Amino acid sequence: MLTSHLGLEAKQIKELKHHPHVLFILDGYDELRGFTGHGSHTNLYRTLKAHEFPTAKLIVTCRTHHLHEEDRAVVFSVPGQSSPVVQRYLVPFSQYSIAEYIRRRTRDGSH
């Protein structure tokens, strides 16, 4: 999986498997092709072979409307653990907040 999608060599993968500080970030689960299908969801733990990285942490972002509660249990479950998923929600910026941010960042030529 990692070798085909990220271009890592087998030696690099072997080193990662035993490194104490590995963090995988999958941004936009709902946009990943091959992980989801129409009405079906694949378990990320199995797909990524996460058991081969026992100390790794995994952060997955997803739009909340993409996965229903029961689908989350399928996608993010880990064999032998009752509740491995910690969910956090980000509140979107308001139109005012966006405009204010842009105004402050572009004032006086700062970028």
Side-chain angles (χ1 to χ4, degrees), residues 62-65 67 69 72 86-92:
C62 179
R63 289 176 267 196
T64 54
H65 62 273
L67 286 176
E69 193 66 38
R72 289 183 199 131
V86 175
Q87 296 181 44
R88 299 290 184 249
Y89 297 91
L90 300 177
V91 178

Side-chain angles (χ1 to χ4, degrees), residues 29-41:
Y29 170 82
D30 50 311
E31 298 172 6
L32 296 174
R33 293 182 185 199
F35 287 108
T36 61
H38 298 291
S40 67
H41 298 284

Side-chain angles (χ1 to χ4, degrees), residues 6-21:
L6 299 178
L8 296 175
E9 296 178 12
K11 182 180 177 184
Q12 293 170 309
I13 301 292
K14 186 176 180 179
E15 290 174 12
L16 280 176
K17 288 179 181 181
H18 301 290
H19 195 282
H21 304 290

